[in-house]
Amino acid sequence: MRRPPEQRRAPAGRPQGPQPVHEALICVALPALAISSQHGQLTGHGLDGFYRSGRRLLARCRVKVAGAEPVPVQGRMLGAERARFVGTVRTPADAGPDPAVTVERVRDAEGIERITVRSAAVHELRLVVEVSLGTDLAELGAIAAGLAGPEVPAAVHGSGLRWSTPGLHAVVTADPPPGDALASAGLLCWEIQLPPGGSRTVELRVRPEFPGRPRTPEPAVHGRGGAAPPWGDAEADGDDARAAALLAAALDDLRALLVRDPGHPADAHLAAGIPWRCGHLAPAEALWAARMTLPLGVRLAAGTLRTLARTQQTGPGPDRGRIPGALRHTGAHLPPGCTGVEATLLFPVVLAEARRWGLPAHETQALLPAAERCLDWLRTAAGDGAYLADPVPGGPYRCEVQAHAHRAALLGADLLESCDRPGAAELREWAAELRRRFREGFWTDDPGGGRPVAARTPDGRRIPHLGSAAAHLLDTGLLGGGEYAPGLLDRVQTEQLARLLGGPALDSGWGLRSLGSKEPGHNPFGHRSGAVRVHETAVAVAGLVAAGYEKEASGLLRGALDAAEVFGYRLPEMYAGEQRTVGSAPLPHPAACRPAAVAAAGAVHLLATLAGVRPDVPAGTVAVRPPRTAPLGELRFTGLRVAEQPFAVRISRLGLGMVEEAAEGLQLGA
């Protein structure tokens, strides 16, 4: 989303900042979007409209039948890219309370809407269908800030209407052509005859045209085109049917968020989220999503890594090797952090783990120089100090950044050593020194057993607030032989952190709060100060299972799965961290992206944790170590990928994993 120009001011009475989207139905097939309320009418207000590449092509599309707007009955998603709306219309022929006419609208993100009028009357009906259209051709960023501007005048164009601004036309065509078209009112009209039980359909198509450029091909009639996603058809089934529904919805959202590099169309990555974060590459979110979806295959990780390698700073100076990224708000207690730091530390981790999952050697070798530059940046940025600052320089020293740096050093050392490259010993020595210092410098004792601190300032002051970021201390990364790297905490500290993550201050009952409920400044709707963030809940569940704390992991897992059910299995990036009570439901966050890459990938990560697959493809082995408690009962996954080949595993109610399909020659490890 582009930031509105600084000199523009919102008119009096108009909202500033992101518009609420928690009740919107958002159809996504990037770079196309369609946003509306559940009643289905595009009103021209708020975010309503069809969008392409961040421009609103159509803002208003109001349907009337027999002079009346349909009474909304239902609006629901049919998939990530399509929605269906049903309404009823009463006519003078209706003798009682039962409406005889229904209006169905099926809307596709690509710019297609089919309006079907059906009659159940016993006599033939003659009805007038009117569609009122209009647009401002505004940018999404301006609309979000309440700066959309007036509607653009329409002109009759072929079988529909056209709106024009310098460099852009928006065209709506209708099939069948309307009987009347009134440009001044943006009105298309049809007079239809409906026999008893009959129906008529009007199809509208919205498309952009760019003067002086070839016309863009119209989308296919039956949905989205484009290349297949870089993963197979993974499925889940078992005792708890919600696992299958969650995985299917997550994959649907991930497909909708795929973006291909125009200069390198074979390389795909994920946009961060809809509607606010689909217009630019978000490196940290793209890498997190690629990492969490490695059980689906390595192609997304490979494309994401190559795309980000092309953005890496390679010139001389202290930023050499860093992946650029914007600053990000991190709550009331800390200054903004740098997403580029997080992405730079994630890059070698994703490459190292993708290699274990089966990224071919030649692709690993091609990406190795970029990973080495990331690791060189880490050592340069840390310098002779004990910790890594974020932002660099000046700090503060954040708890989760030390976890990211430690994991990058250990997995980076493993990657370098496996590829016969120098530098592994120095990285391991640095990581060992960080572990020693962290266990004292980032831990504070208290009557409850102690806790990790959120950050340290350069002058040594501790910021003690406890939140979901501490879960990253348990995410150590996958090494060879299906083993995890050592963590920053010792055994006693790990046990205490597990207790805290599973306690009521952090576990809302719907997932992990970003800031504990007893901490100063806690706000259930604060995206870094109390809201539940799905991907950090997934990180906590996976880390707790790996550390052997399955009771705490199961509580968080079930809470997130219960929340997913309430949200129709399309998890938003965050939702309110209010405490769960009997009969309550999770509260949506009005500004949360939905779908969001890290939420959909986090859902995959939650479920994949139950499979416990730990591959080491270079060594020709794969271990399956599911939770012994089998929190969702028997569970079966098909369509996963290890060594770029299908992989299927069944988890019994006793927590035993059985491989049902695997690549030829892959040996089952302990």
Side-chain angles (χ1 to χ4, degrees):
M1 181 181 76
R2 294 184 183 178
R3 185 178 179 182
E6 292 293 340
Q7 68 271 21
R8 298 180 70 181
R9 294 287 183 263
R14 284 195 176 186
Q16 302 247 9
Q19 303 285 309
V21 293
H22 58 289
E23 292 185 343
L25 295 188
I26 304 179
C27 306
V28 188
L30 289 180
L33 303 174
I35 306 175
S36 74
S37 299
Q38 294 187 9
H39 53 63
Q41 299 278 37
L42 301 183
T43 64
H45 302 301
L47 291 169
D48 282 8
F50 282 94
Y51 295 80
R52 173 77 65 160
S53 300
R55 292 289 292 272
R56 181 156 66 178
L57 301 183
L58 189 66
R60 178 164 50 86
C61 183
R62 302 190 77 124
V63 174
K64 288 185 177 181
V65 177
E69 293 194 5
V71 176
V73 174
Q74 183 187 72
R76 68 184 186 92
M77 301 298 299
L78 300 179
E81 77 283 1
R82 288 199 306 157
R84 176 178 182 259
F85 307 92
V86 177
T88 62
V89 175
R90 290 187 56 77
T91 71
D94 297 335
D98 306 327
V101 174
T102 60
V103 181
E104 178 192 66
R105 302 171 71 172
V106 177
R107 180 172 298 148
D108 191 290
E110 292 276 16
I112 303 171
E113 176 147 344
R114 294 179 188 85
I115 304 164
T116 301
V117 183
R118 295 187 175 89
S119 172
V122 296
H123 305 291
E124 181 179 83
L125 297 179
R126 186 182 297 271
L127 303 172
V128 174
V129 176
E130 300 173 301
V131 180
S132 174
L133 305 170
T135 189
D136 47 22
L137 295 176
E139 293 190 359
L140 179 56
I143 298 165
L147 301 170
E151 285 193 357
V152 176
V156 175
H157 180 77
S159 62
L161 298 173
R162 182 175 72 182
W163 299 262
S164 299
T165 58
L168 175 66
H169 301 316
V171 177
V172 173
T173 57
D175 182 19
D180 290 299
L182 185 61
S184 60
L187 196 64
L188 304 181
C189 302
W190 294 260
E191 186 174 323
I192 63 174
Q193 291 179 249
L194 293 177
S199 66
R200 286 284 302 276
T201 296
V202 171
E203 181 178 280
L204 304 177
R205 287 177 175 253
V206 187
R207 71 173 190 273
E209 289 185 353
F210 304 95
R213 289 164 52 181
R215 177 174 163 179
T216 303
E218 292 190 10
V221 173
H222 295 292
R224 297 162 53 196
W231 55 77
D233 295 324
E235 294 183 348
D237 63 80
D239 290 342
D240 193 327
R242 297 178 300 172
L246 179 58
L247 182 58
L251 295 180
D252 203 29
D253 282 350
L254 292 172
R255 279 191 291 270
L257 292 168
L258 272 176
V259 178
R260 296 189 181 274
D261 188 329
H264 302 82
D267 293 342
H269 66 275
L270 292 172
I274 306 298
W276 314 120
R277 308 186 64 205
C278 57
H280 61 276
L281 175 61
E285 284 87 345
L287 283 167
W288 270 113
R291 184 180 179 222
M292 288 178 158
T293 56
L294 281 172
L296 305 177
V298 299
R299 304 305 340 139
L300 177 62
T304 302
L305 290 167
R306 285 193 290 265
T307 299
L308 288 174
R310 290 190 285 271
T311 74
Q312 190 178 39
Q313 299 188 41
T314 56
D319 282 339
R320 174 180 169 81
R322 189 170 71 85
I323 295 172
L327 292 178
R328 175 175 59 199
H329 179 66
T330 54
H333 304 296
L334 290 168
C338 181
T339 58
V341 170
E342 187 173 358
T344 305
L345 299 175
L346 271 171
F347 190 100
V349 169
V350 175
L351 180 58
E353 291 187 323
R355 177 177 175 270
R356 296 294 174 189
W357 280 92
L359 185 68
H362 70 278
E363 295 188 59
T364 303
Q365 289 290 339
L367 288 162
L368 194 57
E372 288 180 299
R373 288 191 290 270
C374 289
L375 295 169
D376 289 343
W377 176 87
L378 166 60
R379 294 294 293 117
T380 300
D384 297 328
Y387 309 118
L388 179 65
D390 177 16
V392 176
Y397 307 113
R398 304 171 197 268
C399 171
E400 69 273 21
V401 171
Q402 311 319 307
H404 299 330
H406 183 256
R407 182 178 58 228
L410 291 181
L411 270 66
D414 182 61
L415 178 67
L416 295 178
E417 188 173 71
S418 300
C419 296
D420 295 323
R421 302 289 293 176
E426 292 82 355
L427 286 168
R428 289 195 179 101
E429 289 175 6
W430 183 83
E433 178 63 15
L434 177 60
R435 278 197 302 277
R436 185 185 70 79
R437 292 177 177 268
F438 186 92
R439 291 173 183 180
E440 296 180 0
F442 269 80
W443 191 266
T444 183
D445 293 321
D446 60 31
R451 58 162 70 179
V453 299
R456 288 177 63 102
T457 61
D459 61 5
R461 182 170 57 89
R462 297 183 179 192
I463 300 174
H465 309 292
L466 182 66
S468 60
H472 291 283
L473 294 171
L474 301 180
D475 177 18
T476 60
L478 184 66
L479 294 175
E483 297 298 327
Y484 289 121
L488 281 172
L489 301 180
D490 62 26
R491 183 183 60 81
V492 174
Q493 291 170 339
T494 299
E495 182 177 357
Q496 173 64 3
L497 177 57
R499 188 181 69 81
L500 292 170
L501 292 174
L506 285 179
D507 182 1
S508 69
W510 304 111
L512 196 65
R513 294 185 177 97
S514 54
L515 184 68
S517 60
K518 297 180 181 179
E519 303 297 324
H522 169 78
N523 174 5
F525 286 96
H527 72 288
R528 298 282 175 178
S529 56
V532 173
R533 298 178 59 81
V534 173
H535 95 279
E536 286 189 326
T537 298
V539 166
V541 169
L544 287 165
V545 168
Y549 298 97
E550 295 186 10
K551 177 182 176 183
E552 292 80 1
S554 296
L556 289 170
L557 168 70
R558 292 192 183 98
L561 187 57
D562 291 343
E565 185 176 12
V566 175
F567 287 113
Y569 300 103
R570 177 182 250 188
L571 279 165
E573 63 173 326
M574 59 183 169
Y575 43 90
E578 280 206 336
Q579 186 60 44
R580 182 175 185 173
T581 58
V582 175
S584 68
L587 296 176
H589 192 294
C593 286
R594 183 169 177 251
V598 290
V604 174
H605 195 46
L606 281 170
L607 296 172
T609 296
L610 301 179
V613 181
R614 304 185 189 182
D616 186 356
V617 172
T621 65
V622 60
V624 177
R625 302 175 191 173
R628 297 185 301 272
T629 52
L632 299 186
E634 185 172 307
L635 190 59
R636 181 173 181 261
F637 292 96
T638 59
L640 305 180
R641 298 189 75 82
V642 177
E644 297 195 283
Q645 297 297 317
F647 188 87
V649 61
R650 182 185 298 274
I651 311 303
S652 75
R653 296 184 183 93
L654 299 177
L656 299 176
M658 295 159 281
V659 176
E660 295 184 338
E661 183 180 16
E664 186 175 351
L666 200 61
Q667 299 297 313
L668 185 62

